[in-house]
Amino acid sequence: MPSHGLGPAPVFEVLGRRLRSERLRPKVLRRWNGLPPIVGALAVFAALWAGGCSSPKPPAAAVPLSDSVRLMNEAAQRYVRLVLAVGPHDVDYVDAYYGPPEWKQEAEAARRPLPEIRAEAASVAAQLEALPDSGGELDRLRRRFLSRQLEALVARADLLLGKKMSFDDESRALYDAVAPVNTEEHFRTLRARLEMELPGSGPLIERYDAFRKDFIVPKEKLDAVFRAAIAAARERTLRHIELPAGESFTVEYVTGKSWSGYNWYKGNYRSLIQVNTDLPIYLDRAIDLACHEGYPGHHVYNVLLEKNLVRDRGWVEYQVYPLFSPESLIAEGSANYGIAVAFPGDERVAFERSTLYPLGGLDPAHADQYDRIRSLVEGLSYAGNEAARRYLNGEIDAKAAAAWLVEYSMMSPARAEQRVRFIEQYRSYVINYNLGKDLVGRWVEAQGGTADHPDRRWRAFERLLSAPMLPSELTAR
């Protein structure tokens, strides 16, 4: 876990309470009741696993396990241990782990060589692919998820061992997706719309920064603004998604990071959320971070996976979260899409105007214009992908990448430099935010969850957060 930059930082608890409602809601996972046993040919596959996993068994099932489920459970344990084995070689890789502590201790003590880890991961992935299809939908999703996560582990090991990949090849290998390529002309067209909202003379970025200075939340008011944003995001989420009793998270304010916010999931339905205060925090970031890191974003995603898959089904693979994997596109994409799910249409600016502006001591007279500008700038987010693609492909240097971000992502020079540091640290991970959001949005809408049908949208969104989905699954439906 990164160290705190402010010493004893302001901390508050968002207390968890179980939603009490007499309204019955569909429980998607309960519709997938068990999996049919496979007989006969699976004996040969059992031999592949013999002696391959000395880990403790997952929680006992209420009914005898089919051979396919048993083999996947064993593969899942090996997957967790392999992810933990990469951790000592890559400080950013294991983003969360709440399984048996001795597994992590063993991985740190053993410090297995990366080539050995890579070879075992490739072997387990191949064995999973060779399993016959049991015919169960959830079984199919789980097997594909495990297999693809292991393939991403292999790719990350290759990168750590010095293999060179293009930006697109890397994102495909790690995140199961490739972001579209956009031209400078595309971003110039989007910038022209912003020019109309910010008339005047001088460079557009200077006019943009001058306009936004009146929307900076004073540091002494930041905690109150975030408290209100989180409380509203949680209340809106609990209208539609039942969360386990006792879920909660703690917020800390830190400095010296390449990111603006981070959710560290601790297990037992608890998260630590850190907010970076290196640079000014504008009012719109309160809703963004409250939803993205908390409700219905990362915190809710991890809570539902722990409840529905780890505790209810004994799927140990979800006790670990490797950052550089397809799971991250689902996590970041759903967290970003969840902002509009929780605050659809004009509800966001209305809440900001009535609640957050007064708490921040800011004048809401231009709240609507600020919201329009925020939306236009958000449309430029793919410019960040182009900066990363060109920089990591060696077409431009760090200085040129920062200049591109200033020109086409409307970032201040300081924020652009911070983003370049993020790109250097996390590389093609940047696609998970915007491409992930778009893929999640299209999938949810394909399930009937449009803005005109908010209940359906919440149901589809909850289903996505509660199942072993892959990016390629989103585009296939």
Side-chain angles (χ1 to χ4, degrees):
M1 179 190 303
S3 61
H4 301 167
L6 295 180
V11 176
F12 62 87
E13 283 289 328
V14 181
L15 299 178
R17 299 187 300 274
R18 182 182 295 275
L19 176 66
R20 292 179 172 85
S21 173
E22 296 180 358
R23 178 169 54 86
L24 297 177
R25 299 180 301 104
K27 298 294 185 182
V28 174
L29 288 175
R30 292 180 185 172
R31 290 204 295 266
W32 290 322
N33 291 323
L35 297 169
I38 297 179
V39 294
L42 279 172
V44 66
F45 295 98
L48 292 172
W49 304 98
C53 180
S54 59
S55 307
K57 296 294 183 184
V63 295
L65 295 177
S66 69
D67 286 342
S68 65
V69 173
R70 176 176 59 80
L71 295 178
M72 277 198 289
N73 285 345
E74 293 174 357
Q77 291 182 27
R78 295 177 71 183
Y79 161 76
V80 173
R81 289 178 175 273
L82 286 164
V83 171
L84 294 175
V86 176
H89 299 278
D90 184 352
V91 67
D92 293 318
Y93 189 67
V94 182
D95 191 78
Y97 176 66
Y98 54 92
E102 59 270 22
W103 289 10
K104 186 175 182 181
Q105 293 163 6
E106 291 167 6
E108 292 171 347
R111 197 176 178 87
R112 295 175 62 186
L114 266 176
E116 178 183 302
I117 298 168
R118 183 203 182 282
E120 184 180 347
S123 175
V124 177
Q127 291 164 13
L128 277 169
E129 286 293 328
L131 283 175
D133 189 352
S134 71
E137 172 70 0
L138 197 57
D139 176 48
R140 183 187 67 81
L141 289 173
R142 184 191 187 193
R143 180 160 61 107
R144 286 202 65 212
F145 174 85
L146 269 172
S147 203
R148 192 65 188 81
Q149 290 284 113
L150 284 160
E151 290 169 1
L153 187 155
V154 170
R156 183 64 181 176
D158 284 340
L159 288 168
L160 294 172
L161 289 167
K163 182 177 180 178
K164 302 298 182 184
M165 294 187 191
S166 69
F167 180 86
D168 289 345
D169 287 344
E170 178 184 313
S171 71
R172 182 184 295 106
L174 296 180
Y175 308 116
D176 199 32
V178 176
V181 175
N182 291 288
T183 65
E184 289 185 58
E185 183 58 35
H186 169 75
F187 297 118
R188 289 194 192 101
T189 300
L190 296 178
R191 274 172 47 97
R193 300 174 191 170
L194 195 57
E195 292 265 8
M196 296 176 64
E197 281 286 352
L198 291 168
S201 58
L204 182 59
I205 186 61
E206 293 180 6
R207 288 145 53 194
Y208 177 56
D209 283 344
F211 174 76
R212 287 205 304 164
K213 66 180 175 57
D214 292 332
F215 301 90
I216 296 173
V217 180
K219 284 192 176 183
E220 67 274 13
K221 297 181 183 294
L222 194 58
D223 190 52
V225 170
F226 272 122
R227 280 178 184 266
I230 291 167
R234 184 174 188 275
E235 187 274 331
R236 287 164 175 260
T237 299
L238 288 179
R239 293 179 198 170
H240 302 275
I241 298 177
E242 183 177 1
L243 298 178
E247 62 80 20
S248 67
F249 64 74
T250 300
V251 173
E252 295 178 352
Y253 301 97
V254 301
T255 58
K257 309 300 177 185
S258 65
W259 36 258
S260 60
Y262 213 116
N263 178 301
W264 304 97
Y265 192 66
K266 302 301 182 180
N268 200 29
Y269 308 141
R270 295 180 179 273
S271 295
L272 168 66
I273 294 177
Q274 294 182 323
V275 178
N276 186 2
T277 60
D278 279 339
L279 298 174
I281 295 181
Y282 297 89
L283 186 101
D284 58 298
R285 291 297 288 157
I287 290 293
D288 283 350
L289 290 173
C291 291
H292 182 100
E293 307 296 348
Y295 304 93
H298 291 322
H299 177 67
V300 171
Y301 178 55
N302 286 307
V303 164
L304 290 178
L305 292 179
E306 181 178 359
K307 170 62 174 63
N308 295 327
L309 302 185
V310 177
R311 298 198 184 197
D312 290 355
R313 291 187 170 271
W315 291 6
V316 298
E317 62 265 36
Y318 280 96
Q319 292 178 319
V320 72
Y321 171 28
L323 190 67
F324 305 105
S325 70
E327 189 175 0
S328 281
L329 187 138
I330 304 293
E332 300 294 1
S334 61
N336 268 355
Y337 182 72
I339 299 169
V341 175
F343 289 89
D346 295 332
E347 292 184 26
R348 171 175 178 158
V349 68
F351 174 75
E352 289 173 338
R353 186 191 302 109
S354 66
T355 303
L356 300 188
Y357 276 89
L359 285 173
L362 304 176
D363 183 1
H366 298 287
D368 289 331
Q369 184 185 15
Y370 184 69
D371 188 64
R372 289 195 303 273
I373 289 172
R374 175 197 60 77
S375 181
L376 288 171
V377 172
E378 185 178 326
L380 289 164
S381 69
Y382 276 87
N385 293 2
E386 293 305 321
R389 178 183 277 119
R390 295 177 183 206
Y391 180 36
L392 296 178
N393 284 349
E395 299 169 21
I396 58 176
D397 60 15
K399 184 177 180 181
W404 174 280
L405 291 168
V406 171
E407 180 75 10
Y408 294 117
S409 290
M410 299 308 299
M411 293 182 183
S412 67
R415 193 169 296 277
E417 290 172 5
Q418 182 191 61
R419 182 56 58 87
V420 171
R421 293 195 298 273
F422 182 94
I423 293 168
E424 290 170 342
Q425 183 174 356
Y426 297 103
R427 300 180 57 82
S428 61
Y429 192 91
V430 296
I431 74 162
N432 294 325
Y433 298 101
N434 43 35
L435 179 62
K437 175 186 174 182
D438 289 345
L439 292 179
V440 166
R442 290 170 198 156
W443 185 88
V444 169
E445 291 171 7
Q447 315 308 304
T450 61
D452 294 334
H453 298 92
D455 287 342
R456 292 182 194 171
R457 181 156 67 169
W458 275 103
R459 287 198 297 271
F461 188 70
E462 182 181 8
R463 178 186 174 187
L464 178 65
L465 299 186
S466 303
M469 299 290 282
L470 287 169
S472 52
E473 291 283 345
L474 300 183
T475 57
R477 298 175 177 223

